[in-house]
Amino acid sequence: MMTDPRLLSVATALPPHCFDQEATLAAARAMFAHRMRDFDRLAPVFANAGIQTRHAVRPLEWYLEPHGWPERAAIFTDCALDLLEEAGTKALERAGLRPADIDAIVCVTTTGIATPSLEARLLDRMGFRPDTVRLPIFGLGCAGGVLGLARAGMMARAMPGSTVLFLVVELCSLAHRSEEATPTNLVATALFADGAAAAVLRAGDGRGPRLRASGEHTWPGTRGIMGWRVESDGFGVIFSQDIPKLVRDRLPPVLDAFLSKQGMTRADLAGVICHTGGTKVLQALAEVLAPASDGMDDAWAVLRDCGNMSAASVMFVLERRLSRGATGPQLMVALGPGFSAALTLLEL
């Protein structure tokens, strides 16, 4: 137990532009209605998404026009660095640390690429040491918040006494493609948003919530459930409407096997920290996680106020749980490309 990683702090950051769902629907109507025969039939997805507001790195009118890959990539790098610096600075301040105190950085994203990677670009910008160990992770999708935190915990456990900074940023709005008039793109327009988060971890420190265990499961034959298509102007979203059914049918035995290794059942959980995948996904998770239910209201609140920020979302829920004084064993849950389930057990 003494070598288990501890969370010294958690912080989040949102970009400056905020849209309400009515404005987003109006923009979607202007973009797609004249090219989609089924637009009016599909439009209720905006009202049913459980979202009131979301944040993005560009003003709403920017998304009404087509943009090429070089422009999207440049905006991704600039804005991702701004958000990571904000979240990272807040997390360090809350932990009472300076950038020079960090020994390793784990940085997760799936909505853009940069080489040198994002955390490498932050070294000089924020004042991290030149010998800081770096681990950039791409491709975990919505599961990246849970799995990235788990990887950061593994690094902290492998280097007792060292301090690890976990960073995650997703700029989902930059994958919006105004020229793709498809139902999938319309649903993505109704759901996805931008955000970033950071956490400071250290093993061998008795302070803060403890990362007890982590696990993951990738179901065979499910690669087409969620992911990206690489298009000439950027990423094209792939996700299946079968995700809620898959959660209900296949997650329970995976969840129970993970908890059993910790000598626990679902009834032993004091609460849950769920990725805000959308109303149907949250409803499916609530059914599967029962009787554990404390914390579902936090997931619904983050979805309402911020939308689906992919991997960053679950960290917003974690921050909210901590601020509200949650205690006891809490299960972090997210789903991502693979198709995969990501699980981390925290003791708050």
Side-chain angles (χ1 to χ4, degrees), residues 258-319:
F258 172 76
L259 290 173
S260 177
K261 290 180 181 179
Q262 312 309 316
M264 299 176 63
T265 68
R266 287 176 254 182
D268 297 315
L269 294 171
V272 293
I273 302 166
C274 294
H275 165 64
T276 59
T279 56
K280 292 182 179 180
V281 172
L282 282 178
Q283 288 164 356
L285 284 173
E287 293 176 23
V288 169
L289 291 166
S293 61
D294 193 27
M296 289 305 300
D297 56 338
D298 294 299
W300 284 107
V302 171
L303 179 65
R304 179 195 67 217
D305 297 340
C306 302
N308 183 342
M309 300 168 285
S310 189
S313 297
V314 76
M315 298 299 293
F316 280 71
V317 181
L318 173 59
E319 181 185 45

Side-chain angles (χ1 to χ4, degrees), residues 177 180 182 184 227-232 234-239:
R177 300 164 67 242
E180 184 184 329
T182 64
T184 297
W228 290 131
R229 300 185 317 273
V230 179
E231 305 288 355
S232 60
F235 293 133
V237 67
I238 300 170
F239 62 85

Side-chain angles (χ1 to χ4, degrees), residues 3-341:
T3 61
D4 283 346
R6 298 275 185 159
L7 272 176
L8 304 187
S9 66
V10 175
T12 58
L14 290 166
H17 304 285
C18 182
F19 320 140
D20 63 38
Q21 194 72 325
E22 290 183 3
T24 306
L25 172 57
R29 187 176 297 279
M31 282 184 286
F32 301 128
H34 62 290
R35 292 179 288 149
M36 292 182 65
R37 285 171 37 186
D38 292 341
F39 182 88
D40 288 334
R41 181 179 64 83
L42 297 170
V45 69
F46 288 84
N48 298 332
I51 298 168
Q52 291 182 6
T53 57
R54 76 187 73 199
H55 292 75
V57 294
R58 284 292 181 265
L60 188 56
E61 54 269 21
W62 185 87
Y63 300 95
L64 300 176
E65 302 293 336
H67 300 278
W69 176 249
E71 181 184 2
R72 294 175 191 266
I75 293 171
F76 172 82
T77 301
D78 290 344
C79 295
L81 290 173
D82 288 344
L83 288 173
L84 288 177
E85 182 175 14
E86 180 183 346
T89 298
K90 287 196 290 188
L92 289 169
E93 290 175 349
R94 290 176 184 178
L97 299 172
R98 302 166 300 139
D101 297 321
I102 296 299
D103 301 294
I105 303 173
V106 176
C107 185
V108 166
T109 190
T110 304
T111 48
I113 57 173
T115 305
S117 53
L118 294 172
E119 81 292 338
R121 295 168 188 253
L122 288 173
L123 292 183
D124 290 341
R125 178 167 169 160
M126 291 185 65
F128 295 109
R129 301 196 316 266
D131 65 344
T132 303
V133 176
R134 301 183 294 107
L135 177 61
I137 302 178
F138 176 85
L140 295 176
C142 294
V146 175
L147 292 180
L149 185 65
R151 301 294 187 268
M154 291 175 185
M155 291 187 73
R157 185 180 284 111
M159 303 185 296
S162 296
T163 305
V164 180
L165 178 64
F166 170 56
L167 299 172
V168 55
V169 61
E170 299 292 12
L171 306 186
C172 305
S173 72
L174 294 181
H176 171 75
R177 300 164 67 242
S178 60
E179 60 277 26
E180 184 184 329
T182 64
T184 297
N185 196 37
L186 187 67
V187 173
T189 302
L191 287 176
F192 288 106
D194 302 344
V200 179
L201 303 91
R202 184 186 294 149
D205 192 316
R207 299 175 295 158
R210 178 166 62 97
L211 274 71
R212 289 177 51 177
S214 61
E216 59 193 276
H217 183 91
T218 301
W219 288 281
T222 59
R223 285 184 299 173
I225 295 290
M226 182 184 293
W228 290 131
R229 300 185 317 273
V230 179
E231 305 288 355
S232 60
D233 57 349
F235 293 133
V237 67
I238 300 170
F239 62 85
S240 170
Q241 62 183 359
D242 295 331
I243 292 173
K245 185 177 187 304
L246 192 152
V247 171
R248 290 185 174 93
D249 293 347
R250 301 200 195 182
L251 184 58
V254 172
L255 174 63
D256 291 339
F258 172 76
L259 290 173
S260 177
K261 290 180 181 179
Q262 312 309 316
M264 299 176 63
T265 68
R266 287 176 254 182
D268 297 315
L269 294 171
V272 293
I273 302 166
C274 294
H275 165 64
T276 59
T279 56
K280 292 182 179 180
V281 172
L282 282 178
Q283 288 164 356
L285 284 173
E287 293 176 23
V288 169
L289 291 166
S293 61
D294 193 27
M296 289 305 300
D297 56 338
D298 294 299
W300 284 107
V302 171
L303 179 65
R304 179 195 67 217
D305 297 340
C306 302
N308 183 342
M309 300 168 285
S310 189
S313 297
V314 76
M315 298 299 293
F316 280 71
V317 181
L318 173 59
E319 181 185 45
R320 184 178 169 91
R321 294 291 289 151
L322 293 172
S323 70
R324 297 181 69 194
T327 59
Q330 310 277 325
L331 184 67
M332 295 183 72
V333 184
L335 303 158
F339 183 66
S340 302

